[in-house]
Amino acid sequence: MPDSSEHFPHISLRLVKEGIASAPPGGGGRVSATTLANRGDAGGHGNKLKSSIDLITTNWQEEKKRREEEGKPELPEAASFILQVDPDLFDADALKSFGIEVVADLEQGYIVGASSDTELSELRKKIEQFINSQRGGGKVPEIWQILEGTQRPEYILSESLKADWERILEQQEYIVDIGVACINIQEQYSKCPKRRENEGDEKYQKRVNKWLDKHNLSPEEWDDLYSERTDQLQKFINQYNGEILRNIAGEEIGISRLPDSFSCRIRILGKGLKDLVLNFPYIFDVSEPDEFNPP
């Protein structure tokens, strides 16, 4: 088997966040007043969540149609949204049973999610089970609210970039670092080591490489999703006359890759940057390389 370090070459571009492993897992904590109230109001809470889902799915369909009419870059076939969950009880891994991919597990119970089931039918099913006191809906009270993906700037931008967000000019070029989740790899290979709390990139990479060697996985098995999402990102950026930067002033940049994500530095027009942040479903972090300088 080839050296597993070739599967996930760790290049110098820093990972600006811990991605999906940035927050400690929930589960086993004290039940909050909000969760208790939701349990006691199945109809009210369940219907509120269903209304949020209806809004998200309807707006996703309308955005898709509008993009086709306006000739904007094609998006991956996935609805994007943000969940606020009980931070002491809810484990983000539970979202797999809802058909939801965890793009970023953030602090204070916020989770950036995406689903290729653009009708969110599995989530709807769980909510109906909760409303009707059926088995399978027990985690729904711990989902406090579901927000549209267009609110993602609040959760995925660095603080300085967030402060400058409204001053971005459509025709100005910007250079930013972005992180893109590839969590389906970990879902497919569920025994792959997960990043430990406060574990650095290098140490995490060594543990993954050791695991790869032991389990003798082929590079092709690990590459499919990564290739698909890098291609989707590249095509998106190209339509805004942008590029993934490979070399700056003699410094190798390229794409920094880990089993659950990749990060890269891009150059893109302001209107493309806004479109990317608001609509590309798998981005979990956007930050300035050193210092963001709006024109």
Side-chain angles (χ1 to χ4, degrees), residues 3 84 289:
D3 182 356
Q84 185 187 16

Side-chain angles (χ1 to χ4, degrees), residues 20 56 78-84 95 99-106 110-116 120 146-150 152 155-156 181 183 280-284:
I20 59 163
I56 289 167
S80 176
F81 43 89
I82 298 158
L83 303 102
Q84 185 187 16
L95 289 174
I100 296 172
E101 175 178 342
V102 178
V103 175
D105 187 1
L106 307 174
Y110 287 97
I111 298 172
V112 180
S115 179
S116 57
L120 300 178
I146 307 172
L147 308 172
E148 284 195 88
T150 50
R152 291 190 307 165
Y155 301 96
I156 69 174
I183 187 59
F280 198 86
Y282 302 117
I283 288 181
F284 65 81

Side-chain angles (χ1 to χ4, degrees), residues 18-81:
E18 295 287 316
I20 59 163
S22 63
R30 180 178 299 176
V31 181
S32 73
T34 301
T35 297
L36 285 173
N38 292 340
R39 288 177 181 175
D41 184 21
H45 181 60
N47 285 318
K48 182 185 75 170
L49 294 181
K50 285 168 62 178
S51 295
S52 297
I53 292 172
D54 288 341
L55 181 63
I56 289 167
T57 55
T58 298
N59 287 349
W60 187 86
Q61 292 291 348
E62 291 177 351
E63 174 66 18
K64 182 180 180 181
K65 182 179 179 181
R66 183 163 53 247
R67 298 181 76 85
E68 291 173 354
E69 294 172 348
E70 297 176 358
K72 288 185 175 180
E74 184 179 357
L75 293 171
E77 196 77 5
S80 176
F81 43 89

Side-chain angles (χ1 to χ4, degrees), residues 4-291:
S4 59
S5 64
E6 296 177 4
H7 307 166
F8 302 105
H10 185 74
I11 310 174
S12 58
L13 177 60
R14 65 190 175 91
L15 289 175
V16 288
K17 280 188 183 177
E18 295 287 316
I20 59 163
S22 63
R30 180 178 299 176
V31 181
S32 73
T34 301
T35 297
L36 285 173
N38 292 340
R39 288 177 181 175
D41 184 21
H45 181 60
N47 285 318
K48 182 185 75 170
L49 294 181
K50 285 168 62 178
S51 295
S52 297
I53 292 172
D54 288 341
L55 181 63
I56 289 167
T57 55
T58 298
N59 287 349
W60 187 86
Q61 292 291 348
E62 291 177 351
E63 174 66 18
K64 182 180 180 181
K65 182 179 179 181
R66 183 163 53 247
R67 298 181 76 85
E68 291 173 354
E69 294 172 348
E70 297 176 358
K72 288 185 175 180
E74 184 179 357
L75 293 171
E77 196 77 5
S80 176
F81 43 89
I82 298 158
L83 303 102
Q84 185 187 16
V85 303
D86 189 327
D88 296 321
L89 280 184
F90 195 88
D91 187 344
D93 283 343
L95 289 174
K96 295 176 185 178
S97 66
F98 291 73
I100 296 172
E101 175 178 342
V102 178
V103 175
D105 187 1
L106 307 174
E107 296 178 348
Q108 298 180 336
Y110 287 97
I111 298 172
V112 180
S115 179
S116 57
D117 171 16
T118 56
E119 290 298 320
L120 300 178
S121 55
E122 283 300 316
L123 179 55
R124 291 180 190 272
K125 179 181 176 181
K126 298 285 187 184
I127 294 171
E128 288 293 342
Q129 289 170 335
F130 167 60
I131 292 174
N132 296 317
S133 301
Q134 297 173 341
R135 183 177 180 181
K139 301 298 289 183
V140 172
E142 298 167 22
I143 300 175
W144 293 353
Q145 62 175 334
I146 307 172
L147 308 172
E148 284 195 88
T150 50
Q151 297 189 39
R152 291 190 307 165
E154 176 68 24
Y155 301 96
I156 69 174
L157 296 179
S158 66
E159 289 302 319
S160 55
L161 184 51
K162 195 186 304 181
D164 289 316
W165 188 241
E166 296 302 323
R167 294 194 290 273
I168 288 178
L169 301 180
E170 286 196 352
Q171 298 304 317
Q172 172 71 35
E173 282 192 338
Y174 296 89
I175 295 176
V176 293
D177 290 346
I178 63 172
V180 180
C182 287
I183 187 59
N184 275 349
I185 292 176
Q186 284 190 327
E187 290 186 20
Q188 188 173 2
Y189 304 105
S190 59
K191 294 182 180 179
C192 175
K194 295 184 179 181
R195 191 196 293 258
R196 296 166 180 159
E197 187 175 358
N198 299 322
E199 182 176 29
D201 295 336
E202 184 176 355
K203 188 173 181 180
Y204 177 42
Q205 186 69 65
K206 286 181 179 178
R207 287 201 302 116
V208 170
N209 288 343
K210 183 177 180 180
W211 186 88
L212 281 171
D213 287 335
K214 181 178 179 181
H215 288 80
N216 198 34
L217 294 177
S218 71
E220 289 78 12
E221 289 176 305
W222 288 88
D223 281 348
D224 288 347
L225 183 62
Y226 166 78
S227 297
E228 176 184 329
R229 292 196 179 169
T230 52
D231 287 347
Q232 290 170 335
L233 178 66
Q234 184 72 71
K235 289 176 182 177
F236 189 103
I237 293 170
N238 286 349
Q239 283 198 242
Y240 286 107
N241 298 320
E243 62 176 328
I244 297 176
L245 299 177
R246 307 287 176 177
N247 187 293
I248 297 179
E251 178 187 359
E252 292 294 329
I253 302 296
I255 296 176
S256 180
R257 189 175 172 195
L258 288 170
D260 59 1
S261 62
F262 66 89
S263 61
C264 57
R265 186 164 295 170
I266 66 171
R267 177 186 286 116
I268 192 169
L269 292 175
K271 63 179 180 180
L273 176 58
K274 288 207 166 188
D275 192 8
L276 191 71
V277 169
L278 291 171
N279 295 303
F280 198 86
Y282 302 117
I283 288 181
F284 65 81
D285 182 84
V286 184
S287 67
E288 64 289 0
D290 294 306
E291 183 176 332

